[in-house]
Amino acid sequence: MSEEDGDLAHFCCDELEDAVSSDAEASLIEHDSGLILLNLGQREVDGETGAVLTTIRFCPFCGTEIQTDEDIEAALGAVETYD
């Protein structure tokens, strides 16, 4: 993801643009951090249910690298964690 693509207004292909959503229940999620995440489903821990999300580097439709390891590390570093 280059600097000019930081707002994710540009996607590598129409399929990815159509699939990505800000809805937490969607399969591909555009997170506030700028990352595109794959939703693996729900998990319950200590009576609380939450989404299990993972980062992806390559577009699942066309194979283009959409986020580098550096992009992912920078975005994750900016996200607050709660214990």
Side-chain angles (χ1 to χ4, degrees), residues 2-83:
S2 65
E3 287 184 35
E4 61 269 8
D5 295 340
D7 62 359
L8 294 177
H10 172 73
F11 293 94
C12 55
C13 64
D14 291 338
E15 290 82 2
L16 183 63
E17 184 175 16
D18 291 343
V20 171
S21 173
S22 59
D23 179 6
E25 301 293 320
S27 296
L28 289 171
I29 300 167
E30 180 180 351
H31 188 266
D32 293 341
S33 67
L35 293 177
I36 297 175
L37 304 171
L38 176 63
N39 186 345
L40 299 174
Q42 300 291 315
R43 178 177 173 187
E44 186 175 328
V45 175
D46 297 329
E48 293 188 29
T49 302
V52 178
L53 306 172
T54 189
T55 57
I56 57 173
R57 285 191 52 201
F58 298 93
C59 175
F61 303 103
C62 70
T64 300
E65 184 174 40
I66 56 174
Q67 10 194 58
T68 65
D69 285 339
E70 292 80 17
D71 294 329
I72 294 168
E73 288 177 27
L76 291 177
V79 174
E80 293 184 34
T81 59
Y82 301 95
D83 294 320

